Amino acid sequence: MKNNRHNSFFKIKPIYLFLACSVFGIVTNCNNQSRKNLDKQITELDKKITNTRDFSTADVPQKLKPAQKRYVRTQKSLTDNADTIDICMRQNDSLFANAFNNYAVRVGHDYQLSGYLPPHDITTFQKHLTQLDSMDFIKESARKRILQNHGSLHDLSYFLEMMDFDSINSELENKLAWHFYIDTNNAPDSLEQSVLNFENTELNNALMAESNLLAQAWQQNFAHISVQQDTLIRPDSTANTDTANTESHVVKPNFLIPEFDSIKTRYLHNDSVIGQYKNTMDTMLYDEASFYEYVQSMRRKRDSLVQKRREIGI
């Protein structure tokens, strides 16, 4: 009876051993197949990632084809129009600078240094100004006016912080002084700011009044802008285009002021061309962002496959 049990045991044991080996073999084969599949997918993704460095020539999925074609057209448009945009921007800078300078001359008639400072102080400032060169048209024009004895308080304010404080203060009858205040425009990160002007409150009030008038040279408002694709590329195109709306903080000359009204037509024409160029640039960047998101999705997928390969112990 005992021998029969031993015989039965030895008959059953090989069966379990066979089953265990079979399971191990199946698992090994599955793992090997999984490794091959993962290796293949990772290799394919590596090749795709390598071949998608340039959106213009990359092999992208069908959903990105329209954006790719638009991107190529936009690139060409931006290149073709770059010189024109540069000219428009330079011309607008020049138009504004000249108009502002003319406006500053008119406003400054009521705030002449000769009406607020003694001749000795004006001569002292002139002496220090001869050693300065602002390298800026508006400031240089202000410097020349002061040297020619018809500069204003605001003209002088451009240069106060360029001068050696202790040196010039030792010569002035109306002393300069640093004034500190809290700038609340960046709340809650308000910072202490400083400004160099006069100790004399009456002089500072006059300077502030002139500065406030000159600040009217700019008009600021929030404009609702529609960004339409192909603006500069095919203005006569009847193809469907995507439109994106955005809020933009716009700062432009105040054309209600005569000096700026005289440049309005030319300035706004240039500004329109610049705006169209910017919209086209925004479109290109938007399409480029969609391409980079596609590349990143492939990288994330590859990382996931590599992690999966590690998890199965390969």
Side-chain angles (χ1 to χ4, degrees), residues 31-32 34-35 38 306-314:
N31 283 348
N32 287 335
S34 295
R35 182 186 65 184
L38 289 171
V306 170
Q307 180 61 33
K308 187 179 295 185
R309 189 169 63 178
R310 290 197 189 110
E311 289 174 356
I312 63 176
I314 298 173

Side-chain angles (χ1 to χ4, degrees), residues 209-234:
E210 183 184 8
S211 299
N212 288 340
L213 286 173
L214 292 177
Q216 295 177 20
W218 295 270
Q219 58 179 2
Q220 303 184 36
N221 63 290
F222 284 91
H224 194 63
I225 299 175
S226 293
V227 180
Q228 183 167 316
Q229 298 163 350
D230 290 346
T231 307
L232 288 180
I233 305 164
R234 295 182 301 164

Side-chain angles (χ1 to χ4, degrees), residues 266-279:
R266 188 73 230 171
Y267 189 97
L268 290 182
H269 169 76
N270 291 342
D271 195 53
S272 175
V273 175
I274 295 168
Q276 290 177 359
Y277 185 88
K278 182 182 181 301
N279 290 347

Side-chain angles (χ1 to χ4, degrees), residues 17-47:
L17 184 61
F18 172 76
L19 290 174
C21 291
S22 298
V23 170
F24 178 77
I26 291 170
V27 170
T28 301
N29 287 335
C30 288
N31 283 348
N32 287 335
Q33 187 61 44
S34 295
R35 182 186 65 184
K36 290 178 181 179
N37 290 337
L38 289 171
D39 285 343
K40 182 180 178 181
Q41 293 179 65
I42 292 170
T43 300
E44 289 176 351
L45 282 172
D46 282 337
K47 184 177 179 181

Side-chain angles (χ1 to χ4, degrees), residues 99-150:
F100 181 86
N101 190 59
N102 293 335
Y103 179 51
V105 169
R106 178 163 65 88
V107 171
H109 283 157
D110 295 331
Y111 299 93
Q112 292 290 291
L113 292 175
S114 57
Y116 292 90
L117 297 176
H120 171 76
D121 282 0
I122 295 176
T123 301
T124 300
F125 281 122
Q126 288 174 330
K127 181 182 69 173
H128 284 265
L129 282 176
T130 56
Q131 304 170 27
L132 299 177
D133 185 0
S134 65
M135 300 299 291
D136 174 87
F137 171 75
I138 291 176
K139 292 180 181 179
E140 184 58 24
S141 297
R143 188 177 80 98
K144 288 179 180 178
R145 287 195 290 272
I146 295 171
L147 294 177
Q148 293 168 3
N149 292 312
H150 53 83

Side-chain angles (χ1 to χ4, degrees), residues 11-289:
K11 288 180 182 178
I12 294 172
K13 188 174 181 181
I15 294 174
Y16 283 111
L17 184 61
F18 172 76
L19 290 174
C21 291
S22 298
V23 170
F24 178 77
I26 291 170
V27 170
T28 301
N29 287 335
C30 288
N31 283 348
N32 287 335
Q33 187 61 44
S34 295
R35 182 186 65 184
K36 290 178 181 179
N37 290 337
L38 289 171
D39 285 343
K40 182 180 178 181
Q41 293 179 65
I42 292 170
T43 300
E44 289 176 351
L45 282 172
D46 282 337
K47 184 177 179 181
K48 281 185 177 181
I49 293 170
T50 301
N51 294 333
T52 51
R53 292 177 179 174
D54 185 352
F55 191 20
S56 301
T57 58
D59 182 15
V60 296
Q62 190 60 39
K63 67 178 182 179
L64 283 179
K65 292 289 186 184
Q68 185 183 48
K69 291 179 180 178
R70 187 167 55 239
Y71 180 83
V72 173
R73 291 198 307 270
T74 304
Q75 265 194 326
K76 184 178 185 306
S77 171
L78 293 175
T79 301
D80 293 345
N81 288 277
D83 290 341
T84 300
I85 299 307
D86 185 61
I87 292 171
C88 287
M89 292 178 70
R90 289 176 181 273
Q91 191 174 75
N92 270 8
D93 287 344
S94 178
L95 288 169
F96 181 86
N98 280 287
F100 181 86
N101 190 59
N102 293 335
Y103 179 51
V105 169
R106 178 163 65 88
V107 171
H109 283 157
D110 295 331
Y111 299 93
Q112 292 290 291
L113 292 175
S114 57
Y116 292 90
L117 297 176
H120 171 76
D121 282 0
I122 295 176
T123 301
T124 300
F125 281 122
Q126 288 174 330
K127 181 182 69 173
H128 284 265
L129 282 176
T130 56
Q131 304 170 27
L132 299 177
D133 185 0
S134 65
M135 300 299 291
D136 174 87
F137 171 75
I138 291 176
K139 292 180 181 179
E140 184 58 24
S141 297
R143 188 177 80 98
K144 288 179 180 178
R145 287 195 290 272
I146 295 171
L147 294 177
Q148 293 168 3
N149 292 312
H150 53 83
S152 71
L153 289 170
H154 189 272
D155 288 339
L156 180 62
S157 70
Y158 287 127
F159 305 98
L160 294 180
E161 294 187 21
M162 296 183 187
M163 302 176 188
D164 182 81
F165 177 78
D166 293 327
S167 175
I168 197 167
N169 242 15
S170 65
E171 302 176 52
L172 292 174
E173 294 179 20
N174 288 278
K175 305 295 184 183
L176 300 177
W178 286 100
H179 292 87
F180 299 90
Y181 65 97
I182 300 297
D183 182 7
T184 58
N185 292 327
N186 297 317
D189 301 321
S190 299
L191 299 175
E192 185 178 60
Q193 302 290 331
S194 61
V195 61
L196 180 62
N197 45 32
F198 298 96
E199 284 186 351
N200 187 306
T201 302
E202 182 183 352
L203 288 177
N204 287 335
N205 289 341
L207 173 58
M208 181 62 70
E210 183 184 8
S211 299
N212 288 340
L213 286 173
L214 292 177
Q216 295 177 20
W218 295 270
Q219 58 179 2
Q220 303 184 36
N221 63 290
F222 284 91
H224 194 63
I225 299 175
S226 293
V227 180
Q228 183 167 316
Q229 298 163 350
D230 290 346
T231 307
L232 288 180
I233 305 164
R234 295 182 301 164
D236 59 339
S237 174
T238 57
N240 291 329
T241 55
D242 298 330
T243 300
N245 293 318
T246 183
E247 286 287 332
S248 177
H249 190 217
V250 179
V251 181
K252 291 185 179 180
N254 185 352
F255 298 115
L256 295 176
I257 295 173
E259 288 81 1
F260 294 106
D261 181 62
S262 66
I263 67 168
K264 181 177 181 179
T265 301
R266 188 73 230 171
Y267 189 97
L268 290 182
H269 169 76
N270 291 342
D271 195 53
S272 175
V273 175
I274 295 168
Q276 290 177 359
Y277 185 88
K278 182 182 181 301
N279 290 347
T280 305
M281 173 70 79
D282 290 343
T283 296
M284 188 185 78
L285 294 176
Y286 178 82
D287 289 335
E288 194 174 43

